[in-house]
Amino acid sequence: MPRHRPTRAEYPHFEAFSTRWRDNDVYAHMNNAVYYEYVDSVVNGWLIRTGAMRLPDGPVLGVAVETGCVYFASLGFPERVEAGLRVDRIGASSVSYGVGLFAPGEDAAAAQARFVHVCVDRDTRAPVPVPAELRAALAALQVQSRA
């Protein structure tokens, strides 16, 4: 079954990352686990820099409960990786992020990842509602229509 290959227009926020020699595997492309490092970095970096979540000492933490990635093209050292970030869904206590990983200058994603956080109480680790401040900040990452 064909899968939709997202484009840059589907992501309101971008960050660029440098790859490292060690990111490549024996097949001369970036190891699958490294893709997830960029996904985790773009999500949590955005949360920290915008103040949307006070990490690591705030009352609410985001715990990753689901991830997935579809690969369309190879990425790897020495090329940079450009990560696009969007919010696909805000639930009662969870947030589903979409992350596109792009080669520089390419409009179509090399990979598309799904990353789901559940908001939990810092001390009890019990799920809590998405705080109003976080919900408001996440609205900037929501894209209304996608192909």
Side-chain angles (χ1 to χ4, degrees), residues 15-28:
E15 290 185 35
F17 297 94
S18 294
T19 57
R20 305 158 300 182
W21 171 253
R22 70 180 189 161
D23 292 343
N24 289 1
D25 60 20
V26 297
Y27 302 108

Side-chain angles (χ1 to χ4, degrees), residues 94-145:
S94 66
V95 180
S96 298
Y97 299 93
V99 177
L101 299 174
F102 296 81
E106 292 293 325
D107 189 52
Q112 173 187 344
R114 174 178 164 82
F115 187 85
V116 180
H117 265 160
V118 168
C119 292
V120 300
D121 179 89
R122 172 185 166 76
D123 298 322
T124 68
R125 299 294 201 247
V128 297
V130 175
E133 313 82 47
L134 175 57
R135 189 175 291 275
L138 292 168
L141 293 178
Q142 287 189 294
V143 177
Q144 296 307 317
S145 63

Side-chain angles (χ1 to χ4, degrees), residues 51-114:
M53 192 172 276
R54 291 192 340 251
L55 298 174
D57 59 352
V60 174
L61 305 174
V63 174
V65 296
E66 180 182 334
T67 62
C69 193
V70 177
Y71 304 94
F72 300 105
S74 292
L75 295 171
F77 181 83
E79 210 170 50
R80 290 178 64 79
V81 171
E82 297 172 354
L85 177 62
R86 69 179 183 225
V87 168
D88 290 333
R89 181 179 176 280
I90 304 172
S93 62
S94 66
V95 180
S96 298
Y97 299 93
V99 177
L101 299 174
F102 296 81
E106 292 293 325
D107 189 52
Q112 173 187 344
R114 174 178 164 82

